[in-house]
Amino acid sequence: MDRELAPEYVSQSRRKKTGLIVVVLAVLLAVGIGFRQLLNTSVDAGKIRSAVAEIGPVENTLSATGEVMPAYEQIITSPIQASIKRVLLTPGTRVRAGQPILELDKSLTQIEYDKINDQLALRHNGMDQLRLKLDKDLADADINDQIKSLNINKLQADLDHARRLVQVGGQTPEDVVQAENALNIARLEKKQLENSLTYNRQSMRASLRESQLQAQVEATNLRVMAHKLRQADILTDRAGVLTWVNERIGSAVNEGDMLAKLADLGSFRVDGSCADVYADQLKTGQPVIVRVNETDLRGQITQVKPAVQNGTVQFSIDLENNRHASLRPNQKVDVFVVTNRRARTVRVPNGPTFKGKRQQFVWVLTSPTKAIRRDVDVGLSNIDWVELKSGVQPGERVILTDLSEFEHVQELIIDPNP
């Protein structure tokens, strides 16, 4: 005889069956949604952007940043130690050549100039005294030499007389020897005097030459000081625009301190910078494209600075048209360094579908309502153009919108009326 099941057991069994049915339905629903997505091969025409492949040049570029700077910018420094007395012009002023910018207090430099001038006058006076002493000493030495010569002549006569007297018995041979010794001593004294005279002449001439050289040095210092005093009249040496002026009246400035900046805003250059990972690809003479707003200006790298600062490499760019109307000082611009170029190749505008891979697929429109998937080899690229080395022919229209969500299908339906 069968027993009736307990109510608790019946309820638990029903809950298990219900939960199993819910899980199965959820799985079926997920599979249905996924299968529907797999079957969904259409895209709205208004959501895609396309372009026709064409033949043209493509340049491979490195992206960098740049700042427009005046091609000529003069830094005016203080030639002397002074203080700022008056500021005559302010930043932003257009100036002509020879126009005063500011006035320096030149009193200290003027005192130094007067001191050097006095020292030079003393030096010249000392040289005059040395010449007079040299002339006197030479004259005295010459007189002494003449006296010695006369004394030698007298002693020579005395010797000759003594020798004659010896022959007649009027003097002894000792008197002749004594006369000979006196003559020899006089000759040695004359030779000593002549040697001393030669030495004194050379020594005094060397002293005079030394004084002359010292006077030349002091005269040069005086000319330098005079030049600095003239330069202390801070003037512009060409037309331009003052971009900066030290306007702190009364402040002290040392020799070499910057007083003003003068720029010629008629022509410009670009100072560029990029990540140091590209340092090996930067070369002097390399072509560059500078994008100013919507205008592309051509140029080339003229200098690559060797030092790396904060992970960036700095370089200078000389523009072919450095007077373009779009250029403004301190303007930020985009810089593209050209590393390679092909003059004629299949190209399409760059777009989201290109992700930097060398092999990838693109969608090619075969009709207004149909696109097929093509595998392509990507070559050179820049911000504007991408080279397609294979897979696309000139005249074919390529979708530039990123449609990677449809990578599982080979064909797409373009719905013109979503």
Side-chain angles (χ1 to χ4, degrees):
M1 185 172 181
D2 295 334
R3 293 182 179 180
E4 186 176 354
L5 296 175
E8 296 81 0
Y9 180 78
V10 173
S11 298
Q12 184 178 4
S13 177
R14 286 177 179 175
R15 284 196 299 272
K16 286 182 179 180
K17 289 180 181 180
T18 302
L20 181 60
I21 292 172
V22 171
V23 170
V24 171
L25 291 176
V27 171
L28 291 176
L29 180 61
V31 171
I33 293 173
F35 186 69
R36 182 178 179 183
Q37 289 181 345
L38 289 175
L39 294 179
N40 184 15
T41 60
S42 65
V43 61
D44 297 342
K47 294 182 179 180
I48 64 173
R49 184 171 66 93
S50 63
V52 177
E54 61 181 51
I55 297 293
V58 176
E59 296 170 317
N60 198 72
T61 61
L62 299 176
S63 296
T65 59
E67 183 175 3
V68 178
M69 304 295 293
Y72 170 82
E73 187 173 32
Q74 178 187 10
I75 296 177
I76 302 173
T77 60
S78 176
I80 61 174
Q81 184 177 2
S83 60
I84 299 176
K85 192 173 181 180
R86 282 198 306 162
V87 177
L88 305 175
L89 298 175
T90 57
T93 305
R94 289 189 173 273
V95 296
R96 61 185 183 277
Q99 194 169 349
I101 302 174
L102 48 80
E103 182 180 345
L104 297 178
D105 182 359
K106 301 181 288 184
S107 57
L108 290 177
T109 305
Q110 186 65 50
I111 292 173
E112 185 68 20
Y113 175 84
D114 295 338
K115 177 182 176 182
I116 296 176
N117 194 27
D118 293 340
Q119 289 175 347
L120 182 59
L122 288 174
R123 182 69 62 185
H124 284 299
N125 185 62
M127 289 168 57
D128 293 338
Q129 292 179 353
L130 188 61
R131 286 193 188 96
L132 292 174
K133 185 176 184 302
L134 176 60
D135 293 340
K136 177 183 179 300
D137 291 345
L138 290 177
D140 291 345
D142 187 58
I143 292 173
N144 289 332
D145 184 63
Q146 292 178 19
I147 293 173
K148 288 293 182 183
S149 296
L150 293 174
N151 188 38
I152 289 173
N153 292 336
K154 176 183 177 299
L155 292 174
Q156 182 67 51
D158 291 344
L159 176 61
D160 294 340
H161 181 67
R163 285 173 179 170
R164 286 194 300 269
L165 290 177
V166 168
Q167 291 178 358
V168 298
Q171 283 188 340
T172 63
E174 288 78 7
D175 294 331
V176 174
V177 172
Q178 186 177 1
E180 288 178 346
N181 289 337
L183 178 61
N184 291 332
I185 290 172
R187 286 174 176 170
L188 291 174
E189 288 177 347
K190 183 178 185 300
K191 187 175 182 180
Q192 183 182 31
L193 180 62
E194 290 174 347
N195 291 337
S196 178
L197 177 61
T198 301
Y199 170 77
N200 287 337
R201 284 175 177 172
Q202 294 175 349
S203 176
M204 297 183 74
R205 286 171 180 169
S207 298
L208 183 59
R209 178 60 178 164
E210 180 181 358
S211 295
Q212 289 174 340
L213 291 175
Q214 290 176 346
Q216 289 178 5
V217 171
E218 290 173 354
T220 300
N221 292 336
L222 191 66
R223 289 194 298 271
V224 170
M225 191 66 67
H227 179 66
K228 288 183 177 181
L229 281 171
R230 290 192 298 270
Q231 282 189 322
D233 297 328
I234 308 301
L235 309 176
T236 59
D237 60 357
R238 66 180 64 198
V241 176
L242 287 174
T243 57
W244 182 84
V245 176
N246 187 342
E247 300 180 280
R248 294 177 297 172
I249 297 176
S251 63
V253 291
N254 295 316
E255 183 176 349
D257 287 352
M258 186 168 60
L259 296 177
K261 285 184 179 181
L262 176 64
D264 178 7
L265 299 185
S267 59
F268 298 89
R269 73 174 195 275
V270 175
D271 291 341
S273 63
C274 67
D276 57 354
V277 295
Y278 301 124
D280 294 339
Q281 302 184 51
L282 299 177
K283 301 290 186 295
T284 301
Q286 207 165 0
V288 173
I289 301 171
V290 176
R291 182 159 294 172
V292 184
N293 299 325
E294 300 298 325
T295 304
D296 287 347
L297 301 177
R298 293 277 174 169
Q300 66 176 6
I301 296 177
T302 57
Q303 180 189 17
V304 179
K305 297 182 180 179
V308 176
Q309 297 181 348
N310 299 323
T312 61
V313 177
Q314 309 290 326
F315 54 94
S316 298
I317 301 169
D318 188 12
L319 297 173
E320 294 177 0
N321 183 6
N322 59 6
R323 297 178 179 272
H324 196 276
S326 299
L327 296 172
R328 297 288 185 275
N330 303 321
Q331 184 179 17
K332 303 298 182 181
V333 294
D334 294 323
V335 175
F336 305 100
V337 181
V338 179
T339 59
N340 198 356
R341 186 179 190 275
R342 289 194 177 90
R344 287 181 56 81
T345 188
V346 179
R347 68 178 188 177
V348 293
N350 204 342
T353 192
F354 300 104
K355 296 179 171 55
K357 298 179 180 179
R358 292 304 177 187
Q359 286 82 33
Q360 67 168 78
F361 70 88
V362 296
W363 294 99
V364 179
L365 289 169
T366 56
S367 71
T369 59
K370 183 180 179 181
I372 61 173
R373 171 175 165 165
R374 295 260 189 93
D375 292 327
V376 295
D377 290 328
V378 178
L380 304 182
S381 65
N382 55 51
I383 193 171
D384 297 317
W385 299 98
V386 174
E387 177 192 18
L388 299 181
K389 301 170 68 173
S390 65
V392 175
Q393 298 299 318
E396 293 185 311
R397 182 172 288 275
V398 178
I399 295 177
L400 305 179
T401 306
D402 183 13
L403 299 178
S404 55
E405 57 185 296
F406 299 103
E407 61 182 355
H408 58 280
V409 298
Q410 296 296 322
E411 293 185 0
L412 277 178
I413 302 300
I414 309 302
D415 188 357
N417 298 309

